[in-house]
Amino acid sequence: MAVTQEKLTALQVMQDAPVIPVIVLNDVKHAVPMAKALVAGGIRMLEITLRTSVALDCMRAIAAEVPDAVVGAGTIRSAADAKAALAAGARFGVSPGYTSTVGKTCQDIGLSLLPGVATGSEIMMAQEDGFTELKFFPAMQAGGPNLLKAWAGPFTDVRFCPTGGVSLENAPQLLALPNVVCVGGSWLVTPQDLANGDWAKITQLAKEASALSR
């Protein structure tokens, strides 16, 4: 069944599956079969990072041809990025850090945002602008589970999606924390699997990710 086009909240994006794949695409022809492979494995929320010149074209292709997928845009660093992503079919955005300009632009244009944070001050800045579902990035490099446990005290109303250094092996430790809703990871879609067109492997990795407990 195709995903409805109603506005999604950040929490709905986070709750859809235990893992949001962080995807870097360098070839538009990979976009649709890759998205279909992930959806077949139970992963619908797809973060296409704005790190390549074809990222927006890939989003357009997925939005047009894979109705069961929900296109998201990663690496949003400016208001222009947010607007371009929305125009390309993105229904949620993810940023590596947080500025009020990015946050308020996404609110104004109706693009759900997972703002990136790595410090208590950044969490407070995002909260001031109304964001309580946040991306913790780079998670493992910045403190991992121990920092998330420490944040659980002062930030009882904040929920996180740790991303950065997350793998199938350490994801369960993160997902077991009460303030973690999902994780973000790049292991579901690797450059090698894209180059080889190994869609069956991507589906299998998506199934494994979908089965993680939280």
Side-chain angles (χ1 to χ4, degrees):
M1 184 173 68
V3 179
T4 62
Q5 292 301 306
E6 298 169 359
K7 185 179 184 298
L8 291 170
T9 65
L11 185 58
Q12 286 174 318
V13 172
M14 295 168 73
Q15 290 177 329
D16 199 69
V19 181
I20 297 175
V22 180
I23 304 161
V24 180
L25 292 170
N26 291 286
D27 193 328
V28 177
K29 72 181 181 184
H30 293 152
V32 169
M34 178 275 307
K36 289 180 177 178
L38 287 169
V39 169
I43 300 293
R44 305 187 305 164
M45 303 292 163
L46 313 184
E47 179 187 337
I48 311 299
T49 60
L50 294 174
R51 301 181 191 177
T52 69
S53 60
V54 298
L56 292 171
D57 288 334
C58 291
M59 290 181 207
R60 292 186 190 96
I62 295 169
E65 299 183 46
V66 192
D68 290 323
V70 178
V71 176
T75 325
I76 289 182
R77 299 189 300 162
S78 66
D81 284 345
K83 293 173 182 177
L86 183 69
R91 296 181 60 201
F92 69 94
V94 185
S95 60
Y98 184 72
T99 68
S100 286
T101 298
V102 167
K104 290 177 180 178
T105 296
C106 288
Q107 289 169 334
D108 288 345
I109 66 177
L111 183 68
S112 293
L113 177 69
L114 277 176
V117 299
T119 68
S121 296
E122 291 170 337
I123 294 172
M124 291 168 65
M125 289 170 58
Q127 279 194 290
E128 281 186 358
D129 291 339
F131 296 95
T132 54
E133 283 76 40
L134 309 176
K135 167 185 173 176
F136 172 30
F137 177 81
M140 300 309 290
Q141 297 87 339
N146 287 334
L147 186 53
L148 285 160
K149 290 175 185 176
W151 279 343
F155 300 114
T156 56
D157 54 344
V158 178
R159 287 164 288 197
F160 296 95
C161 171
T163 305
V166 179
S167 65
L168 183 63
E169 290 70 34
N170 62 29
Q173 182 183 11
L174 293 163
L175 289 166
L177 299 174
N179 56 349
V180 170
V181 180
C182 67
V183 300
S186 58
W187 80 88
L188 282 77
V189 181
T190 68
Q192 182 176 1
D193 290 340
L194 286 171
N196 294 338
D198 197 344
W199 314 124
K201 182 179 177 183
I202 290 174
T203 294
Q204 181 57 39
L205 290 171
K207 287 180 179 178
E208 292 174 358
S210 298
L212 288 169
S213 297
R214 55 179 173 174

